Structures are given as structure tokens and as C-alpha cells.
Amino acid sequence: MLSVNAEKNTAGQVGLVDTKLSQQVQTTVAEVGNALLGKDHQIRLALCCLFSGGHLLIEDLPGMGKTTLSYALAKALGLSYNRIQGTSDLLPADILGISVFNQTTSEFSFHPGPIFSQLVLADEINRTTPKTQSALLEAMEERQVTIEGETRMLPEPFFVIATQNPVTLAGTYPLPESQLDRFLMRLRLGYPDQRAERELLEMNTERDKVEAVKQCLSLEEVIAFRRQSAEVSASDSLLDYVQRLIAFTRGKDEFHFGLSPRGSLAIMRSAKTWALMCGRNHVVPEDVQAILPSVVEHRLRATSEDDGHSGASLVQRLLNEVDIIE
Amino acid sequence: MELSYQIPRPALIWTLVAVVLVLLPQSIRMPIWIGVVALFCVCWRVLIHNGKLNYPSRKLRVVVVLFTLIVSFSQIRNIGIGLDSAASLLALGFVFKLIEMRHKRDIYVVISLCFVMSMVAFLYSQSVLTTLYVALVVAVAMGAMIALNRSSSVVDNRGTARLAMKIAAQALPLTIVLFLVFPRIAPLWAVPMQTGVNSTGVTDEMSPGDISQLARSAELAFRVQFEDGVELTHGQLYWRGLVLDHFDGVTWRRSRNSSAYSVAASLADFRISYDDRIRTLGEPVSYNVILEPTQQPWLFGLHLAEDVNDEFFSGRNFELFNNGRITQRLSYDLRSYMQNQTDVLLLDSSRNRTLELPDGGNERSLEFAIGLRASVSTDREYANSVLAHFRQNQYFYTLNAPLLGENRIDEFLFDTMAGFCEHYASSFTYLMRSVGIPARVVVGYQGAEANPYENYLMVYQYNAHAWSEVWFEGEGWVRFDPTGAVSPTRIELGVQEALRNDPAFMEDDLFSAARFGGIGWLNAMRLRLDAIEYEWNQLVVNYDEDVQFELFERLFGEVTEQKVIMLMATLAFIVIVAVGFTVINIEPRIQRTPIDRFYLRVCRELAKINLVRRRGEGPIAFKDRICAERPELADAMAELTDMYVKLNYVGKSVSGAEQKNEMQALQTVYAKLKTKMPALAGLRRTG
């Protein structure tokens, strides 16, 4: 139901923007889809997150293609990228960089860490210690790092795609709510469907596919897309709907806490980008519904928490119980 | 230590404005120092709010209480227990509370006191202007309450004012209904009114200069409305007030009976022969008089006035008296027999009274009178020749009469020869009595100004007048107006014409509108305002138990207890239902746009053929589902959804006309969709 509008909104629709953008998005999705089979919707969401200028958290069991997705995205967007593998002994300096004494010049020279790139892939972020996590997350929020008293700007654009294992697994440090909030979206890939799985099994190696992903969008196009998405209009009726969604999460017993204003801004930002990706210059309720699970799931927690995924059922309630017309 | 409550700034401003507005009209009536104290307290309050001053200390508060006590005792001693002393005590407490407002409830107390103080204003005056002003005060006080209950971070005075106005406007219908139907209960207690206020208008004493003093004032004395078809000339409008028959050489007074015996005797005289004392001719003239408060008991009317509703006392000389001083506007109906004869047979007691002269003095007048009487044969000829004397000699009608010494009548008649009506009436009466003709002075008003807008007459203080009544054998009392002999203009055209060039005329009211009667539009405005005031009086102020009863009778026929109870019950029911609805409506009603309403209707129609839009399902998703399920509807549905999405989600503002067109287009598409639906409905039924 949620992805239903993605492909169908082509000709004959009202309020369309120039279709070049949506076609580009289409090719990008297809290109990344070659590497990660049968996950078009997740790829779209990931692109939406990046186009909105937010950071992405991919959460799933090991071996579900988290890293493949991040690699493929980096390649398709043509961004310079670095990878950080989260381990329990990873230190902040390993991410941010370090000053090393150069004996020939007798000076300290700064060796930038992997954070200084346009796209940072932070693998298994919940396996690092909270100290390291917070160093990374600070950089995500501020888009700058301060090392040894000197503030250094991070490149523009700056995206972080972090992956994590579900927190129920042993040896992990779950990210607190305040840090989860920094991620615009959290995606879960899930098992591939039968057809995709079969295709996967017929292939030789996965690695080749990732290497074969071609660049589909230039940096300028990504930035232009981001700029344009801010101009997508949201009518009063739509804002009413979003407000009702947000209000639904607040002051209810099932919800441990409601959505923060940052959460509601995230909804609007992503919905606008989604609308633009579908080739519309206005947001419709379906856009909101499409991005809602990935944007708010990690920001919500049920009062009685049985497992780490209680957000999903809450979002489903939101979608089913808040009508588009009051 | 308790946390001090900070009154929200807008609430404080509103409250202070309400307080100042409430006190403003009061301060005119109250001693000036109360105004000063009030101003002081308001300033102190503002300084407290700004953190410049602290709340009054306990010591100071004790001092203030003592001060108030002393002041109220001295007030009571000076002006007696009455409205004035009570009002000033209330005002003092009210302003002192200002500097003591620490908590929210204190402001509520002050605001409630504002309402009480506005009611006090009605005790003094019930004019249109007062009512409008009090309405303003009430609205501002409500604004204060609203401001107090808004979040302190919101400074939206315009919104507060709008809400206050709205609430006041909503209260208006209820007020009118309650005004009309609420039982008029006589006051359970009576406040002694305005003990300190001087009486106004014609008094029961007339010294030279009294009436000319009144002529300097342009205050309204009373208004008169004749029944339709009555046409009287200006010269006929003698509003008779009191008969003054005792003269001590300076002042004319009503003779007061000194002993209980004489009261009884005169009452007996009067009772026995009342009907014999009067003889009337022709039809009476009926009219209604609305008298401004005079603080005196007597009433004014055309001679010989009969009280229609039998509410007043009739005096010995056919004067009319109210039971008690007139402290509020009084409306009364009279019937006057313009052609009448009274006291054709004069009782000895009356004759003695009306012949009485002060001992000694005024010898020249006495000589003059006797000489003149001897030259004519009848009393009436004598009276006429006295008038002729006034007419033929150089007598002046003026407000600025020269001061008179010991023998006032002599000096006036032969030396100064200039005076106002009281001089003429006084000397005329004296000359009559000198030769044994019973005569007396009558004070009242003469003339009136017509208000063309509402067809009534206005009588001002400057219309105050004095004239004489002379008794002739066989004729009874006959009115003589010596002023008319001197200045016919005064009687025929009015005092304004007669004194056009007299600078003293109306000098107390420098800026009164009547002074500028020459300016057309200003005069019209004055008359129009007075007409509004008059209507107000007739419709609102005079609405008492009787009028209410009449209204009920006119509406429901005969008034029975059952009907009254029914009416009350109905009204109570209406009020309860109205309040109930209001309470229900406090829950914000869902306000759907016409487009949304339309779309929901379409959804309801589709639900009938089993195409139910799920809760939370967006329009495009719904359309896609319908297209898949029912390809027959696809085109129409797609068009309709496109339009709906366009209207609802594209573009933020669409002009009203555009929206209307779009809605019409939507309707046509819907009609198209509908034509296809019955077939489907049938399909479903068969399938």
C-alpha cells in the first residue's frame, strides 16, 4: 500500500514538476537495485533520506545487505566515502583524526580521520562504546569537528549511513533515544522476497554487482535536488493531517512519549522530498504515509516494551487510525 | 517564603483601565481628594508592577484602614448616611485594594468591584450616555478578566478586546429578555439619596434675584408630551409650580401652618368643599411630564391640573406634591382644565393669607396704589391700570437688576424700574394687596422649546418664571403676568428671544448647546440628542411593574399566575438549553472545508457499493484500489481524485470564486461517476 504511488504517478497528474528529476531518481533506484535485489522501496527511502540532507540508520540482522546498500548508494551518487567499522575498542580519534609529530618538520601535522568525507559508512555503530558513538553523532549534528582546540568543517554534503544490529544481540551498546533522534530515518531491509532470493542465488558473487554500480547523479544534482525539495508546497489540509498524526502520539497511554518537534520537522522534510521524487511539487497524504514508518519508528516507544521494534506497531496504529480528513 | 505571583502585564493594564474608567464619572461627584487618592493608588500599583515600589507594609495598611474609618465617619457626620457617603467609602476601599493585589483572586475582587461601582453609577444617572458608558466599562472589565486568564506570554490586546466585545454582545439579548420579563421587585431597602446635593429648580421661596439666577442655567427642568391634537400657544404654557402667599418685605414664601389645629382646619376646609371650589369649562388637556430630579417634592403642570393616576397630593392652592423628594426622574400624567374658575367663594383663612402685608415700609407704593384704585371703579380695572403703568413707563426687563435696599417695592417701582419677572410679580402682587384685593405670587416655568423629532416640549431652567394670581369677586383667581406687560416677547416668543442681547442669560452654561441655537446643525444635533434621551426615558427608564404588566397583557392576554409560571419556566428552559449548547460547542467542532465535505460524500456513496475507503487511506491510494477493483469507474474516479488532490493539496490559497468554479467542476465529474455507479450497485446485488 505504501509504495503503491511511487511508480504510478507519471503522466496525467496534476502539479507535476519537470520529470527529469524523477527519471533520474528512477534510474538511480534501478542502478542501486541491481546490487540489492527486490528492495526498491528501501532504496527509495534511503535516497529520500539523503536528498533531505539527513543521516540514515540501517538496522537489521547481519548478512541482510546493509553494507551492500550503503556502498551501492555511495557509488550511485558519486560521493567520496569512507568506512568505519565499529568495534568495542574503536576510539573517537580513530574516527575524527589525530595529530602526529612530524620529525622532519618538527611540527604536529593533522591526519584527518575517516569522518572527513562526503559519505561516511559507520558499520555496526552499536558495537562501539558510547564515547565513540557520541563523537560520531556530534559530528553528524554539528557538521564540524573540534580536535585539539581547532574546529574543522566537514565536507558538504555530509551524509552518515550507519548500520546496526538489532539491539537484542549480545555485545552491543544500544543508542539512546537522544542519539537515535539524530537520524532522519531508520530503515529495516528485511528478508528478500522469493523472486529476489532466487535471482540472488543464481548470481555468482554479490561483490561484483556492487562494483558494477555506476554513478547516476552528480554532486550538483544532489544539491539541486535538496534545494528544490524545500520548495515543495504543503497545503493546509495536509498540514492538518500531519498535525493530527503528531497529536495522536502525544498524551496517549500506549505511547511512552510523543513525537518531538524535531520529529515532526523530519516528517515534513522527508515527505516533501518524497513528493519531489514522485515528480510532484506538492505533498499528498500518501507521501507522508510512505515515509512515516522509517521516520518515526525509531522515535517512538511503546509504554510496555516487549521488544526493540515496538515503534513499528505504533506507526501502524497511526496510519490506520488517523484519517486524512478529520 | 511564598512565591510572589506576577500579575500578567496585559491583565494589569486592562484592570487599571477599567478602574480608571469606573472612577472617572464618580470622581466628578465625589470630593476631589478621593480622586487624588485614587490616582495615587493607581500610580503606586504601576510602580509595584515595575518593581520600583513594594507592597504596603502592615503598618501602612493599618494606617489606611484607620484613615478610611475616620473619613467615613466624618463623611457621615457632614453629609449624613446616604448614597454619597456610601459611594465614597466604597471608592476608597476599591482604590486601596489596588495596591494590595497580590494574588489572582485579588484581581478578581477588584474586577468584581468594578461591576459594583458601575452599578453605583446607575444610582446617580440612568441616561443613555451613562448606560453606554457603563457598557463600555463592563466590556473593559471583562477584557481584564480575559487578559487575566490568557497565557502571560500572549500579548494580544486586540484579540482580548474583540473577545470581550463578543461576550458583551452575546450577553445583550439575555439582558434584554431579563429586562423585559424579570419580576420588578420593589427595593428591599431604600438608600437615602443624595443628601448632600442641592436642590435645583424653582423653590418655595422667592427673593429678588432667585429666578434671574435660574435663568442663567440651561439645564433641563422637564419634558412634556401632549396627547395628539393639542395645540397650545407659547403664551398659554404657564407651568404652575407653587403658590407663594406670605410676604415679609423681602421674600415670598409658602405660608406654613404653624399649628396642628390650622392644618386640620385647612384640611377640613379643603376636604369639605373641594368640588365646590373649582368650576371647569371645556375639555381637559392630557399630557405626560418627565421631571428631572429636583430634590424637592413639588410638581409642575398647567393650571388646573388633575393627577390622572391619583398618585400625588393636591395642595391647598391646587399645587401638586409628590410623596417625598424627587431624587430620580419622575414621569407623571396630568389632565388640565385650561378654562377654570377656582375659589369663587374665598374662605376667610385664604383671604386673610392673601391680603397680608408686612408691617410698615414701602409707603410710596401704598400711596400710589390707593391713588390709582381711587381713579378706577372696579378691581379688575385697577389691575389692568397697574399693568398699563408697567407698560407705559420706562420699565426694563433684564437679568441684571440693580440691588435694592430697605423698601424694595418702592425702589423698584419708582427708582430703578428694571428687573426680572420676580420683581414685577412681587410688586404687582404687593400693589394688589395694598388696596385689599387678594393676590398671590405663583412660581413655575413659562414657555417651552419644541423638539420636532419626537414631538414633545423641553422646559429649561431659564424658563423659570413668576407671575401673580388675583382674586376677583365672582371670578375667583385670575392669572396676571406683569412681565408680559413689560416684555411681551418673553411670553409670546420665549425667554431666549426676550433676553437675546443680555450677556447674563445662561452664563452658567457657557458652552451649552442651547447657547449656540443660532448654528443650525448644532441646534439640530442638540434636539436630536434630547429626543434620543427622551425615547430612552419613555422606553427603558420608565419600564416599571405596571408597564411590564401591560406588556404581558398585550402579549399573552390576561395575566394569570399560571401564565407567569409558564413563561418563567419556558425562559428558564431556553436559558438552560442555550447554556447547554454553548457548553457542548466549547468542544471545537470539526470544521471541514466544502471540498472535504464533498469528498467524504463521494466516499459514502462509494461505500454503498462496497468500495469503502479505509481509515487513513489517502485519496490516491484509494483511487488506485478502486481502479484495480472496478475498472469501469477508473476514468471518472481518476479525474475526480485528480481534482480533489489539486484542490486540497496543491497551492495554499485559492480565491473564493476560483474555488466555487472548481467545486462546480468537481460536481460534474461526480455526476459522471454517479451515472456509472447504479449499474455496479445492481451488479453487486445480483452477484
Side-chain angles (χ1 to χ4, degrees), chain A residues 87-115:
Chain A
T87 58
S88 54
D89 55 357
L90 190 74
L91 293 174
D94 298 333
I95 296 176
L96 305 177
I98 192 163
S99 291
V100 179
F101 187 70
N102 188 330
Q103 292 210 320
T104 52
T105 58
S106 298
E107 276 176 349
F108 279 99
S109 65
F110 180 69
H111 285 241
I115 194 100

Coordinates of all heavy atoms in Angstrom, one line a residue, chain A residues 87-115:
Chain A
T87 N 33.9 -1.3 16.4 CA 34.3 -2.4 17.3 C 34.3 -1.8 18.7 O 34.2 -0.6 18.9 CB 35.7 -2.9 17.0 OG1 36.6 -1.8 17.0 CG2 35.8 -3.5 15.6
S88 N 34.4 -2.7 19.6 CA 34.3 -2.2 21.0 C 35.5 -1.4 21.4 O 35.5 -0.7 22.4 CB 34.1 -3.4 21.9 OG 35.1 -4.3 21.8
D89 N 36.6 -1.5 20.7 CA 37.8 -0.7 21.1 C 38.1 0.4 20.2 O 39.1 1.1 20.2 CB 39.1 -1.6 21.2 CG 39.3 -2.4 19.9 OD1 38.4 -2.2 19.0 OD2 40.3 -3.1 19.7
L90 N 37.1 0.8 19.4 CA 37.2 1.9 18.5 C 37.2 3.2 19.3 O 36.4 3.4 20.2 CB 36.1 2.0 17.5 CG 36.2 3.0 16.3 CD1 37.2 2.5 15.3 CD2 34.9 3.2 15.7
L91 N 38.2 4.1 19.1 CA 38.2 5.3 19.9 C 37.8 6.5 19.0 O 37.9 6.5 17.8 CB 39.7 5.6 20.4 CG 40.2 4.5 21.4 CD1 41.6 4.8 21.7 CD2 39.3 4.6 22.6
P92 N 37.4 7.6 19.7 CA 37.0 8.8 18.9 C 38.0 9.3 17.9 O 37.7 9.7 16.8 CB 36.7 9.8 20.0 CG 36.3 9.1 21.2 CD 37.1 7.8 21.1
A93 N 39.3 9.2 18.3 CA 40.4 9.6 17.5 C 40.4 8.8 16.2 O 40.8 9.3 15.1 CB 41.7 9.6 18.2
D94 N 40.0 7.6 16.3 CA 40.0 6.7 15.1 C 39.1 7.2 14.0 O 39.2 6.9 12.9 CB 39.7 5.3 15.5 CG 40.7 4.7 16.4 OD1 41.9 5.1 16.3 OD2 40.3 3.8 17.2
I95 N 38.0 7.9 14.5 CA 37.0 8.5 13.6 C 37.4 9.9 13.1 O 37.4 10.2 11.9 CB 35.6 8.5 14.2 CG1 35.2 7.0 14.6 CG2 34.6 9.2 13.4 CD1 33.9 6.9 15.3
L96 N 37.8 10.7 14.1 CA 37.9 12.1 13.8 C 39.3 12.4 13.2 O 39.4 13.4 12.4 CB 37.8 12.9 15.1 CG 36.4 12.7 15.9 CD1 36.4 13.5 17.1 CD2 35.3 13.0 15.0
G97 N 40.3 11.7 13.6 CA 41.7 12.0 13.1 C 42.6 12.3 14.3 O 42.2 12.4 15.4
I98 N 43.9 12.5 13.9 CA 44.8 12.6 15.0 C 46.0 13.5 14.5 O 46.3 13.5 13.3 CB 45.3 11.2 15.4 CG1 46.1 11.3 16.7 CG2 46.1 10.5 14.3 CD1 46.3 10.0 17.4
S99 N 46.6 14.2 15.4 CA 47.8 15.0 15.1 C 49.1 14.1 15.4 O 49.2 13.6 16.5 CB 47.9 16.3 15.9 OG 46.9 17.1 15.5
V100 N 49.9 14.1 14.4 CA 51.1 13.2 14.5 C 52.3 14.1 14.4 O 52.4 15.1 13.6 CB 51.1 12.2 13.4 CG1 52.4 11.3 13.5 CG2 49.9 11.3 13.5
F101 N 53.3 13.9 15.3 CA 54.5 14.7 15.3 C 55.4 14.3 14.1 O 55.8 13.2 13.9 CB 55.3 14.5 16.6 CG 56.5 15.4 16.7 CD1 56.2 16.8 16.9 CD2 57.8 15.0 16.5 CE1 57.3 17.7 17.0 CE2 58.8 15.9 16.6 CZ 58.6 17.2 16.9
N102 N 55.6 15.3 13.2 CA 56.4 15.0 12.0 C 57.9 15.4 12.4 O 58.2 16.5 12.7 CB 55.9 15.9 10.9 CG 56.6 15.6 9.6 OD1 57.7 15.1 9.6 ND2 55.8 15.8 8.5
Q103 N 58.7 14.4 12.3 CA 60.1 14.6 12.8 C 60.9 15.5 11.8 O 61.8 16.3 12.2 CB 60.8 13.3 12.9 CG 60.2 12.5 14.1 CD 61.2 11.6 14.8 OE1 62.0 11.0 14.1 NE2 61.1 11.5 16.1
T104 N 60.6 15.4 10.5 CA 61.4 16.3 9.6 C 61.0 17.7 9.8 O 61.9 18.6 9.7 CB 61.1 15.8 8.1 OG1 59.7 15.8 7.9 CG2 61.6 14.5 7.8
T105 N 59.8 18.1 9.9 CA 59.4 19.5 10.1 C 59.4 19.9 11.5 O 59.2 21.1 11.8 CB 58.1 19.8 9.4 OG1 57.1 18.9 10.0 CG2 58.1 19.6 7.9
S106 N 59.5 18.9 12.4 CA 59.3 19.2 13.9 C 58.0 19.9 14.2 O 57.9 20.8 15.0 CB 60.5 20.1 14.4 OG 61.7 19.4 14.2
E107 N 57.0 19.5 13.6 CA 55.7 20.0 13.8 C 54.6 18.9 14.0 O 54.9 17.8 13.4 CB 55.2 21.0 12.7 CG 55.8 22.4 12.8 CD 55.4 23.2 11.6 OE1 54.9 22.6 10.6 OE2 55.6 24.4 11.7
F108 N 53.5 19.2 14.6 CA 52.4 18.3 14.6 C 51.7 18.5 13.3 O 51.3 19.6 13.0 CB 51.5 18.6 15.8 CG 52.1 17.9 17.1 CD1 52.8 18.7 18.0 CD2 51.9 16.6 17.3 CE1 53.2 18.1 19.2 CE2 52.4 16.0 18.5 CZ 53.0 16.8 19.4
S109 N 51.4 17.5 12.6 CA 50.5 17.6 11.5 C 49.3 16.8 11.7 O 49.3 15.7 12.2 CB 51.3 17.2 10.2 OG 51.6 15.8 10.3
F110 N 48.2 17.3 11.2 CA 46.9 16.6 11.4 C 46.6 15.6 10.4 O 46.7 15.9 9.2 CB 45.8 17.7 11.5 CG 44.4 17.1 11.7 CD1 44.1 16.6 12.9 CD2 43.5 17.1 10.7 CE1 42.9 16.0 13.2 CE2 42.2 16.5 10.9 CZ 41.9 16.0 12.2
H111 N 46.3 14.4 10.8 CA 45.9 13.4 9.9 C 44.4 13.2 10.0 O 43.9 12.6 11.0 CB 46.6 12.1 10.2 CG 48.0 12.1 9.8 ND1 48.6 11.2 8.9 CD2 49.1 12.9 10.2 CE1 49.9 11.5 8.7 NE2 50.2 12.5 9.5
P112 N 43.6 13.7 9.1 CA 42.2 13.6 9.2 C 41.7 12.1 9.2 O 42.2 11.3 8.5 CB 41.6 14.3 8.0 CG 42.8 14.5 7.0 CD 44.0 14.4 7.8
G113 N 40.7 11.9 10.1 CA 40.2 10.6 10.2 C 39.1 10.3 9.1 O 38.9 11.1 8.2
P114 N 38.5 9.1 9.1 CA 37.6 8.8 8.1 C 36.3 9.6 8.0 O 35.6 9.6 7.0 CB 37.2 7.3 8.4 CG 37.6 7.1 9.8 CD 38.8 8.1 10.1
I115 N 36.1 10.4 9.1 CA 34.9 11.2 9.1 C 34.9 12.3 8.0 O 33.9 12.8 7.6 CB 34.7 11.9 10.5 CG1 33.3 12.5 10.7 CG2 35.7 12.9 10.8 CD1 32.4 11.6 11.4

